[in-house]
Amino acid sequence: MRTLDLVGTAVSNTSRSKLRTALTVMAIVIGAFTLTVTAGIGSGVNKYIDTMMASFGDEDQLYILDETNMDQAGAPGSAGAPPEYDPETAGASSEFGFITLDAADIDVIQDIDGVESVNPMVSVNGEYLETPDGTAYALDQFDAPQNASGLEFAAGGAPQGNDEITVPTAWLEIFDTEDPHAVIGQEIEIGLSNAIGEPQSATAEIVGVTEEAISGLGGNPMPSIALNDALYQLQTSGMDIDDQYMAVTAVVTDLEGNEDAVKADLEDQGYLAMTVEDQIGAIQGIINMVTYILIGFALIALLAASFGIVNTLLMSVQERTREIGLMKALGMSGGRVFALFSLEAAIIGLLGSGIGIGLGVITGVAGNQFLTSGPLSDVAGLTLFEVEPAALGLIGLLIVAIAFVSGTLPASRAARKDPITALRHE
């Protein structure tokens, strides 16, 4: 029997006992469906975390701040639209509780072996933001412009020019609109005090409206780097004072090889250094742990399905004993008989995996669309399910392999049958 005929016969034989085959396939479908949904959720959530945390810097950089600020590394986002500005309470949140770095700290960090360059991040304390209608609103803090790559926009884009800024969607109501596109191009005035308490102000153009991420990024106005520097110069004017930096980013030579040594040297000097992986590792570890647990349950379902395949084919071998004897009497080798029953097992696995993976993808994509555009629509950039073709292919191969291995026992029994004895079977 040619290989093509063997495959055709195997496909035909799987439909002999439709109910029994269908029940076996259903067990495989459950395992394949669970694996697909679990893998998709793990990929989707991890992708969202990667996107959300992208603002912490490039993969070859360390994010460095004073070790005292360890518990304050993430500034919270806005809680909503700001209140109207009250000069009596202005300035209450100076430096946001951070211990800042200065030029001496920059020199120390720059002298650490392995550090190529240091880029300081200046901190600006605004007091109010005045809308075009002349109303001033309290301005507690800005999002750092170095984090612009992690923003999600409802309208417009990232600030780049000398006088450009973004505002969060929660602030739209102070512009008397719910349409984020309506505020693009409007000019606002930013007020702050300099080093000796003199009022200063600068005009900025709104170029983007941001959606707040879980990390808080996008929940406050974000000036361009140039505007942030200009505001910092206004803030420090009036007195000869040293520059203060909320944090620095440092480019490290061969970060993968030198990471531990550079971090240890920085810690000895009283600094906290983190890579992007450090900042997302704990969250991703929890997600991966939950994913592995769910995958374990799916594999248990597939183990149960494998026993179903064994049972189905053993019964098939028993029912087709005379047929097996006839095939061997007509010259079909034991190897071909083994291949025939193994192919039947593989086809059952292929059928179950195809249906399960297909249902899993449809459910995952539909569920992601429903949740991210409905109950979870306020979470900017959220992805709950990601289709990974390589992972789906691996799941399919795994299930077919499990089915093939499960079929080897009944296939071996069929291959060993004596043709004379088999032909006498009633």
Side-chain angles (χ1 to χ4, degrees):
M1 183 179 289
R2 295 178 302 174
T3 301
L4 189 60
D5 294 332
L6 201 66
V7 173
T9 302
V11 172
S12 176
N13 288 340
T14 56
S15 62
R16 284 190 174 188
S17 179
K18 294 182 175 60
L19 179 60
R20 190 165 61 206
T21 301
L23 291 175
T24 305
V25 168
M26 186 59 65
I28 298 174
V29 167
I30 293 172
F33 175 85
T34 306
L35 277 176
T36 301
V37 172
T38 301
I41 290 175
S43 297
V45 174
N46 277 321
K47 178 183 177 181
Y48 172 65
I49 292 172
D50 288 340
T51 302
M52 180 184 71
M53 303 301 287
S55 60
F56 282 98
D58 297 330
E59 292 185 357
D60 65 341
Q61 291 183 343
L62 287 176
Y63 180 81
I64 305 169
L65 64 162
D66 191 285
E67 196 167 29
T68 311
N69 295 318
M70 184 171 183
D71 295 328
Q72 306 176 45
S78 168
E84 289 194 22
Y85 174 64
D86 181 0
E88 297 297 326
T89 60
S93 59
S94 178
E95 296 298 343
F96 325 130
F98 271 73
I99 294 178
T100 56
L101 307 176
D102 56 24
D105 294 306
I106 302 301
D107 291 339
V108 171
I109 295 171
Q110 183 68 71
D111 290 339
I112 297 290
D113 288 339
V115 175
E116 288 184 10
S117 61
V118 176
N119 302 300
M121 302 167 61
V122 297
S123 172
V124 176
N125 302 325
E127 290 188 7
Y128 68 85
L129 179 151
E130 185 177 308
T131 57
D133 67 3
T135 306
Y137 295 89
L139 178 61
D140 288 334
Q141 65 188 78
F142 294 104
D143 278 336
Q146 289 83 355
N147 297 344
S149 61
L151 292 174
E152 292 286 341
F153 292 94
Q160 297 177 347
N162 292 332
D163 60 351
E164 294 182 350
I165 194 169
T166 65
V167 295
T169 52
W171 287 33
L172 289 176
E173 64 180 83
I174 70 174
F175 295 92
D176 295 324
T177 183
E178 294 182 356
D179 180 10
H181 296 87
V183 302
I184 301 297
Q186 292 193 31
E187 288 191 346
I188 58 175
E189 183 176 304
I190 299 170
L192 66 163
S193 297
N194 67 5
I196 57 176
E198 295 176 340
Q200 305 290 322
S201 66
T203 301
E205 178 186 353
I206 298 174
V207 296
V209 178
T210 58
E211 296 179 341
E212 184 175 358
I214 291 177
S215 63
L217 183 65
N220 297 294
M222 176 185 286
S224 64
I225 292 178
L227 177 59
N228 194 66
D229 290 342
L231 292 172
Y232 180 75
Q233 294 303 318
L234 290 176
Q235 179 177 273
T236 56
S237 64
M239 185 181 294
D240 186 15
I241 59 175
D242 294 332
D243 288 337
Q244 300 292 312
Y245 310 110
M246 61 184 298
V248 301
T249 57
V251 177
V252 177
T253 303
D254 185 20
L255 179 59
E256 184 176 351
N258 296 326
E259 179 181 340
D260 292 340
V262 172
K263 282 183 175 179
D265 289 343
L266 287 166
E267 185 177 351
D268 290 342
Q269 298 292 338
Y271 303 106
L272 172 68
M274 297 177 289
T275 63
V276 174
E277 186 177 351
D278 291 333
Q279 297 169 75
I280 67 176
I283 301 174
Q284 286 184 320
I286 294 172
I287 297 298
N288 289 337
M289 180 180 67
V290 174
T291 300
Y292 295 148
I293 291 173
L294 293 176
I295 287 175
F297 285 119
L299 291 176
I300 291 174
L302 287 175
L303 179 63
S306 69
F307 287 112
I309 292 173
V310 173
N311 180 64
T312 296
L313 291 182
L314 281 176
M315 294 181 67
S316 180
V317 169
Q318 183 66 23
E319 293 170 354
R320 293 157 57 189
T321 299
R322 288 175 61 84
E323 178 185 333
I324 295 169
L326 181 60
M327 287 189 294
K328 299 190 76 171
L330 292 174
M332 192 171 184
S333 66
R336 283 290 182 175
V337 173
F338 178 88
L340 176 62
F341 281 89
S342 295
L343 275 173
E344 290 180 25
I347 289 168
I348 291 174
L350 185 63
L351 184 60
S353 64
I355 296 173
I357 291 172
L359 289 175
V361 169
I362 292 172
T363 301
V365 171
N368 181 72
Q369 178 64 27
F370 171 75
L371 292 172
T372 56
S373 62
L376 301 178
S377 58
D378 291 337
V379 184
L382 179 62
T383 301
L384 292 176
F385 185 88
E386 179 76 7
V387 176
E388 292 282 354
L392 298 182
L394 185 61
I395 290 171
L397 288 175
L398 173 65
I399 294 173
V400 171
I402 290 174
F404 180 83
V405 171
S406 300
T408 55
L409 175 61
S412 298
R413 178 169 295 186
R416 291 197 305 267
K417 282 189 176 295
D418 178 71
I420 303 300
T421 304
L423 285 170
R424 291 175 179 171
H425 180 78
E426 294 294 337

